[in-house]
Amino acid sequence: MPGEGVRVRLLAVLSSVVSLLANLVFSLLVTRKLATFSLGVLNVVNGAIIMGLIIQTIVSFMATRVTARDGKPSVYMMTLYLLSGILGSIIALLYVTGVSWRFRQIYVEVAYLTMASTFASYLQGYVTSVLTVVDRVRLQGVSLVTSIIKLLLIIYIMYSGWSLFSVLVSSIVITLSAAVYGLTTVLTRLSRIGSLGRYFRETVAASWVPLIGYGAGNLRSMDSMIIGYVGGILDNAMWQVLNVQGKALGLAGSIINVTYGELLSGKDLERRFYIDLLILLNITIMVALFLVFYEPYIVYFLRPQDYSFIQYLRIPVILLTVSSITSIINQYYSWIMQGIDRVDFNGEVTFKTYVGSLVFHAHFAEFILTVVYIASIYPLILLAEVVKLPSPVISGVLLASILATLISLMYRFIHLESRRRLKVPVKSIILDIIAPALLAALVTYLESTLMLTKYPPIKGAIGELIRIAIGAILTTATYLAVSLTVSGRIRSLFTVLLKYIVKSSLNTVNHLSPGG
């Protein structure tokens, strides 16, 4: 892998680590300090924003692809994107209004802040779409800026008494700050290529593809509404606790954006497919082991006032990790399919451009996922009640997610293999992924059992945070030691990364030295 490829992947992992730490600190403190009612409302707001982003799935899809096709971002595409943001904000408002009977006394404030947060997300979405193609290193910088601002705003939230209002305002500021940072690069490259009319026609002509895929996928935010109606605010609060933990499982997600951007830019797939999949899965599995085996520490730190959550969420956390691992494989296949099929690079996009293409099948798989997910939630909630799973509402939703993701992944795998047969080395997967995961799981289970027995969860925030940190360090060290021992490929990859870091450090030192 060339130096630039190593650099951007290393930055992607490092920025993801920093982002994870910032997200965890921010989300942990917010989830810990907010009242249960406020936590439930926050989950509703998050669902409304996701629903409002349904149009972004269309314009983001086109912004990335036309930027790759035209070789530069266009001011007309940016205008179209931001106009879409206004419409998306209105959709988010309608979502909040639909469940406002649960929080009538603060409806107006929640409505305004939800709309503002949705529009800010559109602005950041445009920046991300463009940087995925034109500057993937800068894209990782956006993630780092987001993390820094997020940590700084904890001080504001703290002095505001950990109110729901301060959390919502901070979310807007965080998103806008990252967008503005990225815009400093995007604006220098903006051109007047194309026209508003042409990009509008192309977006409308292509809209059916992302709409049946990721647009329909945004309807999965209805799970919060279903949880609220079938269960209640308490179940929504537990769902929010799970969502906080789920963010950690997206640690390696930046690798997918890097792969997609490189493929759209014409880079070869064969050299990237297995290595990037290897990085994705090993990092995700490592985080999953930490969440499963140190669940009592994490949940009790998040909700010390709700000790019962530890027992209620023990099985759901396991289901969450299974769902997340299958989901990240599914999304990886989706971006691979869309990256290698450049069917829209040969002229203006029309309604027929994507018919039968891998791009279409990638998005149709998302539509299948959404339909199966929404349709199976209630039956699987009833099944969870019958088999007496803890938190049957939450468990049923996660079972539906796993079922839908597996069906979607199977569809993508079949269609990708029919067009582009990829060498999936079964023996290597066993040695590089499955064996390290099983052995590390066994050792981590023994470590966590000893630690939880000797040092059970406590109410003190500092003491509990120390336990969580020790658990994370032990899990990471164990997984690295096992994987480096078992897998020669991981040892080679680790060696390449270390050599690049050492070389970059020496170059920096030489550059800064008086004679450099």
Side-chain angles (χ1 to χ4, degrees):
M1 187 178 293
E4 182 65 23
V6 175
R7 180 189 179 199
V8 72
R9 281 165 176 77
L10 182 60
L11 284 174
V13 173
L14 290 177
S15 65
S16 295
V17 171
V18 175
S19 177
L20 171 63
L21 293 175
N23 280 331
L24 284 179
V25 171
F26 185 87
S27 300
L28 288 174
L29 290 175
V30 168
T31 307
R32 180 184 174 89
K33 294 292 186 178
L34 280 184
T36 302
F37 173 78
S38 296
L39 195 63
V41 174
L42 180 61
N43 194 43
V44 172
V45 170
N46 289 338
I49 293 171
I50 292 172
M51 183 66 75
L53 295 178
I54 190 168
I55 301 175
Q56 188 185 56
T57 59
I58 301 171
V59 289
S60 177
F61 169 78
M62 286 305 296
T64 302
R65 299 191 75 87
V66 299
T67 300
R69 180 194 66 191
D70 299 339
K72 60 185 73 173
S74 170
V75 66
Y76 300 112
M77 190 67 224
M78 183 176 75
T79 302
L80 180 62
Y81 207 113
L82 297 183
L83 289 174
S84 302
I86 296 174
L87 185 56
S89 301
I90 295 172
I91 292 174
L93 172 64
L94 294 175
Y95 182 105
V96 167
T97 303
V99 292
S100 61
W101 56 274
R102 290 190 180 274
F103 47 88
R104 287 192 182 96
Q105 65 274 27
I106 56 172
Y107 164 70
V108 174
E109 294 90 340
V110 170
Y112 281 129
L113 292 172
T114 300
M115 290 183 70
S117 187
T118 303
F119 185 79
S121 297
Y122 270 83
L123 183 59
Q124 185 182 24
Y126 173 73
V127 170
T128 300
S129 297
V130 172
L131 292 181
T132 296
V133 176
V134 303
D135 195 337
R136 288 175 288 278
V137 172
R138 188 73 165 185
L139 180 62
Q140 309 314 317
V142 171
S143 175
L144 291 172
V145 169
T146 302
S147 302
I148 294 170
I149 299 299
K150 187 170 290 186
L151 291 173
L152 291 175
L153 282 171
I154 290 175
I155 300 172
Y156 159 69
I157 297 174
M158 181 176 65
Y159 280 102
S160 298
W162 301 98
S163 67
L164 176 64
F165 176 82
S166 64
V167 172
L168 294 177
V169 169
S170 296
S171 297
I172 297 169
V173 174
I174 290 165
T175 306
L176 283 177
S177 300
V180 170
Y181 173 79
L183 275 175
T184 58
T185 295
V186 173
L187 292 178
T188 61
R189 304 193 182 196
L190 273 182
S191 68
R192 292 189 173 274
I193 190 171
S195 66
L196 184 60
R198 176 182 177 177
Y199 288 128
F200 177 74
R201 289 194 306 273
E202 289 189 302
T203 301
V204 171
S207 62
W208 65 277
V209 178
L211 193 57
I212 64 172
Y214 300 123
N218 277 32
L219 295 175
R220 293 200 293 274
S221 64
M222 289 176 62
D223 53 18
S224 296
M225 190 179 294
I226 295 172
I227 290 169
Y229 279 111
V230 178
I233 286 293
L234 182 63
D235 285 297
N236 259 321
M238 286 194 289
W239 187 245
Q240 181 67 21
V241 171
L242 277 180
N243 283 337
V244 171
Q245 297 178 73
K247 289 178 180 178
L249 291 162
L251 174 61
S254 296
I255 296 293
I256 296 179
N257 286 333
V258 171
T259 308
Y260 178 53
E262 288 183 345
L263 293 176
L264 278 181
S265 301
K267 301 292 178 66
D268 180 57
L269 171 63
E270 301 297 338
R271 300 174 61 189
R272 290 164 173 76
F273 175 74
Y274 184 67
I275 292 297
D276 286 350
L277 181 64
L278 182 63
I279 296 172
L280 274 172
L281 286 181
N282 275 291
I283 293 177
T284 305
I285 292 171
M286 181 178 67
V287 175
L289 295 180
F290 166 64
L291 294 179
V292 168
F293 292 119
Y294 291 95
E295 179 261 355
Y297 287 151
I298 299 169
V299 173
Y300 195 53
F301 178 79
L302 286 169
R303 303 300 296 170
Q305 64 271 53
D306 295 308
Y307 189 82
S308 60
F309 277 20
I310 293 177
Q311 188 62 35
Y312 289 148
L313 294 177
R314 191 176 298 276
I315 298 300
V317 165
I318 296 173
L319 295 176
L320 172 69
T321 58
V322 174
S323 174
S324 298
I325 291 170
T326 54
S327 179
I328 203 162
I329 298 172
N330 193 28
Q331 291 305 312
Y332 184 64
Y333 264 83
S334 174
W335 290 116
I336 290 292
M337 293 169 73
Q338 296 179 68
I340 64 175
D341 192 347
R342 305 167 77 192
V343 67
D344 48 359
F345 281 39
N346 300 317
E348 183 170 329
V349 174
T350 67
F351 180 82
K352 296 181 179 180
T353 298
Y354 298 105
V355 174
S357 67
L358 283 178
V359 177
F360 162 74
H361 287 299
H363 285 269
F364 191 70
E366 202 72 17
F367 176 76
I368 294 172
L369 192 157
T370 300
V371 171
V372 175
Y373 180 58
I374 297 298
S376 62
I377 284 179
Y378 189 66
L380 287 174
I381 288 175
L382 295 179
L383 176 63
E385 290 176 343
V386 170
V387 299
K388 300 187 183 306
L389 287 178
S391 308
V393 174
I394 305 296
S395 297
V397 171
L398 290 168
L399 286 172
S401 175
I402 294 170
L403 173 65
T405 303
L406 287 174
I407 293 174
S408 174
L409 175 58
M410 188 180 304
Y411 179 89
R412 282 179 173 141
F413 179 81
I414 291 172
H415 282 278
L416 179 58
E417 286 294 302
S418 68
R419 303 286 184 89
R420 179 78 172 269
R421 294 192 64 84
L422 294 172
K423 296 178 181 178
V424 182
V426 177
K427 182 178 178 181
S428 295
I429 288 177
I430 294 174
L431 290 175
D432 299 336
I433 299 171
I434 297 176
L438 292 176
L439 289 174
L442 176 61
V443 177
T444 304
Y445 167 72
L446 295 174
E447 292 171 344
S448 64
T449 300
L450 290 172
M451 188 170 170
L452 284 163
T453 301
K454 191 168 184 179
Y455 304 102
I458 58 175
K459 273 198 171 182
I462 301 300
E464 194 69 358
L465 194 58
I466 291 173
R467 284 163 166 75
I468 292 173
I470 293 173
I473 292 170
L474 281 174
T475 305
T476 303
T478 299
Y479 199 91
L480 281 176
V482 170
S483 59
L484 289 172
T485 301
V486 173
S487 171
R489 195 183 302 268
I490 292 179
R491 285 197 299 273
S492 298
L493 183 60
F494 200 72
T495 302
V496 170
L497 292 176
L498 285 178
K499 285 181 178 178
Y500 179 81
I501 293 172
V502 171
K503 182 179 178 181
S504 298
S505 300
L506 290 175
N507 288 340
T508 302
V509 170
N510 291 334
H511 179 72
L512 294 175
S513 64

